Amino acid sequence: QVQLVESGGGLVQAGGSLRLSCAASGRTFSRYVMAWFRQAPGKEREFVAAISWSGEITKNADSVKGRFTISRDNAKNMVYLQMNRLKPEDTAVYYCARSKTYSSIITTDRYEYDYWGPGTQVTVSS
């Protein structure tokens, strides 16, 4: 059974920083692409960032490029999202997700991820 649990969300002023963490269970964690998605009220869940199993390849959404950095520690079964220069439009529930298959190809399609955490709220005040 795979479980993902996010932490690190909170309330921050515009321009500030937060670091989200995702703790994953399961011995095969290191073989999967991991990603962060977010969902704001009344909006679709959208891709934020993803990282290959080795950590060598990452992909960010255009809206967060240059501000957010995804990383992972396979020895600890952890994925992180460092968020800098936060904006009010970054306000959302942030979800950690695991890809469906062993693949080095990063996808931004949420339907290619089959395990999700419960989410952590990030609120950025102006």
Side-chain angles (χ1 to χ4, degrees):
Q1 184 71 15
V2 175
Q3 287 189 325
L4 304 175
V5 180
E6 304 93 341
S7 61
L11 173 65
V12 64
Q13 288 188 330
S17 298
L18 282 174
R19 187 194 195 204
L20 304 185
S21 299
C22 172
S25 65
R27 292 179 296 174
T28 58
F29 165 81
S30 63
R31 301 182 187 181
Y32 293 88
V33 169
M34 298 295 296
W36 289 94
F37 287 76
R38 67 186 181 186
Q39 188 167 15
K43 294 188 175 181
E44 294 285 321
R45 190 168 298 190
E46 65 174 2
F47 171 79
V48 175
I51 187 166
S52 64
W53 67 269
S54 66
E56 293 179 347
I57 302 172
T58 62
K59 183 176 180 64
N60 285 357
D62 289 342
S63 58
V64 306
K65 278 182 181 177
R67 301 188 298 121
F68 290 12
T69 302
I70 187 171
S71 61
R72 69 190 294 165
D73 184 337
N74 287 340
K76 296 181 179 180
N77 280 16
M78 296 291 293
V79 182
Y80 306 99
L81 185 68
Q82 178 66 44
M83 306 186 295
N84 298 327
R85 292 187 282 133
L86 283 160
K87 303 176 181 180
E89 51 263 43
D90 295 318
T91 295
V93 177
Y94 283 70
Y95 299 91
C96 176
R98 195 202 77 171
S99 62
K100 284 183 177 178
T101 60
Y102 299 162
S103 174
S104 60
I105 298 174
I106 290 178
T107 174
T108 63
D109 182 352
R110 60 177 175 164
Y111 297 105
E112 294 300 319
Y113 294 86
D114 58 354
Y115 286 98
W116 297 81
T120 185
Q121 176 71 46
V122 171
T123 303
V124 184
S125 63
S126 57

